Amino acid sequence: MSKSGHLFLSPMALYVHKYGGTSMGSIERIQNVAKRVAKWHDAGHQIVVVPSAMSGETNRLLGMAKEIMAQPDGRELDMLASTGEQVSVALLAIALQALGKQAVSYAGWQVPIKTDSAFTKARIRSIDDAKVRKDLNAGKIVIITGFQGVDADGNITTLGRGGSDTSAVAVAAAIKAAECLIYTDVDGVYTTDPRVVSEARRLKTVTFEEMLEMASLGSKVLQIRSVEFAGNYKMPTRVLSSLTDPLTPLAEEAASGTLISFEEDKNMEQATITGIAFSRDEAKITVLGVPDRPGIAYQILGPVADANIEVDMIIQNQSVEGKTDFTFTVPRGEYAKAVEVLNNSVKAHIGAAAINGDTKVSKVSVVGVGMRSHVGIASQMFRTLSEEGVNIQMISTSEIKISVLIDEKYMELAVRALHKAFDLDSAK
Amino acid sequence: MSKSGHLFLSPMALYVHKYGGTSMGSIERIQNVAKRVAKWHDAGHQIVVVPSAMSGETNRLLGMAKEIMAQPDGRELDMLASTGEQVSVALLAIALQALGKQAVSYAGWQVPIKTDSAFTKARIRSIDDAKVRKDLNAGKIVIITGFQGVDADGNITTLGRGGSDTSAVAVAAAIKAAECLIYTDVDGVYTTDPRVVSEARRLKTVTFEEMLEMASLGSKVLQIRSVEFAGNYKMPTRVLSSLTDPLTPLAEEAASGTLISFEEDKNMEQATITGIAFSRDEAKITVLGVPDRPGIAYQILGPVADANIEVDMIIQNQSVEGKTDFTFTVPRGEYAKAVEVLNNSVKAHIGAAAINGDTKVSKVSVVGVGMRSHVGIASQMFRTLSEEGVNIQMISTSEIKISVLIDEKYMELAVRALHKAFDLDSAK
């Protein structure tokens, strides 16, 4: 890894550290976070920390509200839930002070981090860096609540679950940090799930677009909105482990994990494919014998969307004698509800012959920006699956991803075969 | 009770309700608070509620800080502790919404309640009523965090323990409420402790000055600063029970408890004495054989004050042959420390003969604004004690209070005898 190596040549750089709820889960863990942050500060860097609420705290708070009322008011939920991060920042400031550091904590409204007024799922509009910059220049470590901000009327808002990642990246962009370090309980992004393929390798770098595809495919390392934010602001973002010894030498820690970068690698030797993603959480539904006329896709999928069911892959067969079959996938947990919607609101209405489906399917994807400049990736993928006797039920493609839907019993086999076929087993 | 009866003739009055931590101690109790508040709102009144943190929460939060560091930074402690009330206001707003009421919660900084920057013991400087008034006029119930505010630099401050009472009275004064109702786990202020004198009666009204004396004498119904605040702003403040059925008829509830009033009762038939207060938590220290020269009191009490020990009653005996005895009382828990200070820093320095003391003493006081216009209260008090064979060790007086220090074994006897002698047993 050398891509961002130059950052560490700077005698003093500005970093944002983000720590998840597990890393902040007890007084002892908060003290470990403080040790890690102090180490970076000792090396001469300026540090802003964005911690999550202590693990379990947000659920505890929202649980009390739900005990009172099934659908509490969003404004009050945000007032309630935002306290979790406020507790975290104060405790972390105290832990840093106990180590002899100057540290100051801010709630989102104090920075301020301004958002729209969409309570419980607000979006950041602007971040004022004046106060933070002044503190940093005075030698202080600045700690800012993740997950929250303040709207134009002075109401507390939250960004929704996982919003602390987004806060961290947004703060990093606002203060023009050299890098945003997301400390979490995994040590980076892998070529595929190491529990499925023991040869899976940690990626030293991954592009923003690849990360977006991986995140949307269930590699839940980062909240997808934070990846989008990193992309919008071209903020180099590193995913690394908070489970290592907090006193790990800084140079080693700074090069660990996976860097989400925004320059495509110039190295021609790079692997064409970055990783193999997969999702078990799939179900397939086919509407048979549909009259092939304009608007039919909307007539089928409209009621499904109205029921708040997300549709992923969609294919429509070649029409035969004015009739066609229409197939799509939904999250497995929504399968029963989707079939019910189709039987009640769609089938008779459009004159479909039958509705059938399959909940024993999985999706496997090859992801890589390299495929933009390489032909034959799809054919290599299909050949590999064919050699293993895996039947492909559906296909969808994007510029940097090819996904196939297959029988779930072949999923591990397919992932392993593709991981090997695209040379991901070997060291990069 | 009729003193403030006219308030309830108003078709719509503005009230501040304050609920302590015990009243907010569980979801069920918060729902009871909501029922009680909704009842007042249903009757056409405008209501602002100032709740404390759920019982135990402030201790839990501060406990975590103390686990990290013995003397954490005040700013960060306030950041931490203020979350307790924020949780309370949000949950209460949700509980009121669940009853079909429009309710909105505010943290101190949102009102704003502006304070100085004395973290953990800040004092309120101003309260902006614009937002609150607008919400009230729109039919909303407004809920404001107790115990906290914001300083001129936008830092969260807290008012110190019991500060929610002070917040409530200050908010009531700022919005010109008709009355501030402090709901607590006692049902009012009594002529004396009912556990000592079964004939003790609840006072329907008490003057501000009497309340101040009672509060400072250990009738810990209200935080003393809140009583001072009520006095400064002449805010009628009622102490009443939060343990009654929340659906108690409003007229009955509005006349219950004890009203701290700011007009002296014009009724000539009123009792001369309002109540008998007492404190077991006393210790007496005598410095014997002190040279009687100017500055000697300071030389004795200065080192005691420097050790943060509060001195209460003080007497100096008539000088005999240039020597005198100097006696004072301290809280019983500070006795050993005070004696140590005197032995180490005072005795040899001033040439005192000896230091001795007694930890088995109690203070009993008769309190009442009536004694201003009645002579003979002190002599009646001393005669009563004499008839019971109780020896008086020290005496101190103020305009509305006479206190005596006695052997603790006579305390209950003295309180009962005085309660009877000053006609407090009979209905007013």
Side-chain angles (χ1 to χ4, degrees), chain A residues 27 60 64 67-68 73 75-76 79 82-83 86-87 90-91 93-95 97 104-107 109-110 154 156, chain B residues 27 60 67-68 73 75-76 79-80 82-83 86-87 90-91 93 95 97 104-107 109-110 154 156:
Chain A
I27 296 298
R60 184 183 76 86
M64 290 195 291
E67 226 182 288
I68 298 173
D73 179 42
R75 182 189 181 280
E76 300 303 331
M79 190 82 174
S82 62
T83 62
Q86 192 171 321
V87 167
L91 291 176
I94 292 169
Q97 290 169 355
V104 59
S105 73
Y106 292 113
W109 62 267
Q110 289 177 308
I156 294 177
Chain B
I27 295 301
R60 184 183 75 86
E67 224 181 289
I68 298 173
D73 179 42
R75 181 189 182 279
E76 300 302 332
M79 191 83 175
L80 182 66
S82 62
T83 62
Q86 192 172 322
V87 166
L91 291 175
Q97 290 168 355
V104 60
S105 73
Y106 292 113
W109 62 268
Q110 289 177 308
I156 293 177

Side-chain angles (χ1 to χ4, degrees), chain B residues 286-290 315-319 323-327:
Chain B
T286 301
V287 185
L288 293 158
V290 178
I315 53 172
Q316 187 171 338
N317 278 0
Q318 186 64 32
S319 170
K323 296 270 183 182
T324 185
D325 301 334
F326 193 91
T327 304

